[in-house]
Every structure is written in structure tokens, then in C-alpha cells.
Amino acid sequence: MAAPASVDPVDTRTGAGPRPGPVPWVAMYHSVGDATDDPYRITVTPDRLSAQLGWLRRRGLRGVSMTDLLAARARGAGRDLVGLTFDDGYADFVEHALPCLRRWDCGATLFVLPGRLGGVNAWDPLGPRKPLLTADGIRRAAAEGVEIGSHGLTHVDLTGADDAALGAETAESRALLAELTGAPVTGFCYPYGTVDARAADAVRAAGYRYACAIDPGPLTGPYALPRVHVGQNDTPLRLLLKTRLHRLRRRAAAGV
């Protein structure tokens, strides 16, 4: 997998951002492994992930990191690219997702929780408990060319966080990940996909260049990018319908 490129959403010749265009298609994954006990539908098996990436490639599309996707869009290119994101930083990413990405020559962005290194997904009351990546696991993913972004410090809903928690979840998590990986951290992902103007402002102030949500509505833009959930039940037909529905539902947004 190629190393992530830098993002520059502003045209340095004119000082203006690119013209609004269709919001890019971004797939949202979580865990890759055994999907038999999956009350939140967050898991895909390795075989299903490989089949989904193969479907993209056969359609002339390639999955890439968010930074690569946004950099291409800023150049007026990238119509053949799809963003691949993996939330929460599950340990199974290294074991199961990385081989699939290598097989299909795809990149990805992995959003992790530096406040829960080596822990579990304790925020999911129904379970099952899944181990999260350690610091070494995150560094291994980064060494494979995966972009590492922040999913906050401990996975809390930023729309209900007080000022101290908001600062820790955004700025502190970014600083910890930069120290861990030895590289700048430019991407953020809102836990639970929830975002409001205050949370988006905090992410921007913390120095991130973009942020991913799920369905941010009027906030859609570089700091609230919509994504499409992709799960175990998404066959080629369902994926085709999801890509077409995305084009119909998502409005144009400046900077993306």
C-alpha cells in the first residue's frame, strides 16, 4: 500500500478552495473477523471484506486513505477512488484487514483510541468484548502504509462533552498519536458518528485537516464528512445500491 499523501484543500495559487462537487464515497468499517455474535452489525468476515474490495476493483475503483482521497479531490482528480475507513482500532485489523488490503492494493485510514491501547470496546453495552490494538499494533499498521487517525481518546460522544473532555478527546489524542507513530495526525473520526458545530470547531482548533462523521446533514464539509456503513450483509448488489443512493442524497460541499 502506498504511503498517504498530504492534504491541501486550498488552491495555493488563488487562495480559494476547490469548487463544490459531489461528496466522495467513503466506506465505514469496524471489526474484521468472526461475525456470528454481532449485535451492532460492526463486523465483516475477512472473506466478505475481500469480496467487497474485489467488487470495487472490478468496477475500476480503488480504496484509499482519507488523506489520499482528499488530496486527489483537491487536485480535481480522484473520481476512481473510494475512502476506506476502519473505526475503533480493533486488534483484528492487523490480522485480517491488512492482508485483504494488500491483496487488492488498497489503502485505508484506521481511526484509533490512544486512551484505550490494548483495551476492549467497553463502550458497547451488548458486547461482545473485542480487543483493541496495542501501541505496537498501531505502529505495525502505520508501517504498512495505513493512515492513522484519531477516534478520540476514549470513545465518548463529543456533542455531550464538557470543555475539558472535548479538549482531551481532540487535542490530547492527536498529540499522543503523533508521539506514538512519529508522524503528523491529520484525521479525526467522531465517536458514534455524532457531531455538532461545537465539536467540529474543537476538531479544527486541535489542528486536524479533516474529520469523518456518518450523516452530518447541513454540517457536511471537510470537518464533517459523511460515510456509508458497510457490513457483512453488503453483497455486490447492495453495494451498488448504496453508491447510487449516496450520489442522490449527499449534497455538494466546498472543500471536498
Side-chain angles (χ1 to χ4, degrees):
M1 291 176 289
S6 61
V7 176
D8 184 3
V10 175
D11 186 330
T12 55
R13 294 167 300 175
T14 65
R19 294 183 211 170
V23 176
W25 201 82
V26 179
M28 177 181 66
Y29 288 95
H30 289 78
S31 175
V32 182
D34 182 0
T36 54
D37 185 7
D38 187 28
Y40 296 102
R41 298 187 301 114
I42 63 167
T43 307
V44 296
T45 63
D47 287 346
R48 179 66 80 189
L49 174 61
S50 185
Q52 291 165 345
L53 298 182
W55 177 83
L56 288 175
R57 298 297 292 189
R58 286 189 294 275
R59 292 182 60 82
L61 302 171
R62 185 166 70 91
V64 297
S65 70
M66 290 303 302
T67 289
D68 283 347
L69 175 64
L70 295 175
R73 300 275 297 199
R75 298 191 302 268
R79 302 299 174 180
D80 59 341
L81 302 180
V82 171
L84 297 181
T85 63
F86 292 79
D87 290 8
D88 300 336
Y90 290 102
D92 55 33
F93 179 87
V94 168
E95 181 180 1
H96 297 308
L98 274 180
C100 293
L101 294 170
R102 283 196 297 263
R103 175 184 178 186
W104 295 105
D105 189 28
C106 289
T109 298
L110 175 64
F111 293 112
V112 301
L113 298 155
R116 293 187 183 270
L117 298 178
V120 297
N121 56 325
W123 59 88
D124 286 334
L126 298 180
R129 292 292 163 251
K130 291 174 174 279
L132 304 178
L133 286 167
T134 63
D136 285 343
I138 292 172
R139 283 191 284 262
R140 179 178 169 187
E144 293 276 353
V146 174
E147 179 188 14
I148 304 299
S150 173
H151 200 30
L153 194 62
T154 58
H155 204 288
V156 301
D157 183 346
L158 297 191
T159 62
D162 61 26
D163 290 345
L166 191 57
E169 295 291 331
T170 56
E172 186 178 337
S173 69
R174 182 171 185 254
L176 287 172
L177 285 177
E179 181 179 1
L180 188 157
T181 62
V185 176
T186 60
F188 188 87
C189 175
Y190 300 100
Y192 307 103
T194 55
V195 56
D196 57 15
R198 176 171 167 268
D201 287 344
V203 169
R204 184 187 295 106
Y208 296 95
R209 303 295 301 277
Y210 73 86
C212 290
I214 296 179
D215 191 3
L219 289 175
T220 295
Y223 288 94
L225 294 165
R227 294 180 298 164
V228 177
H229 167 75
V230 180
Q232 181 66 11
N233 294 330
D234 285 318
T235 60
L237 177 58
R238 283 173 58 95
L239 286 175
L240 179 62
L241 292 175
K242 283 188 173 185
T243 58
R244 291 182 174 176
L245 181 62
H246 173 81
R247 288 196 294 267
L248 292 173
R249 290 182 60 204
R250 305 303 185 191
R251 65 182 182 85
V256 294

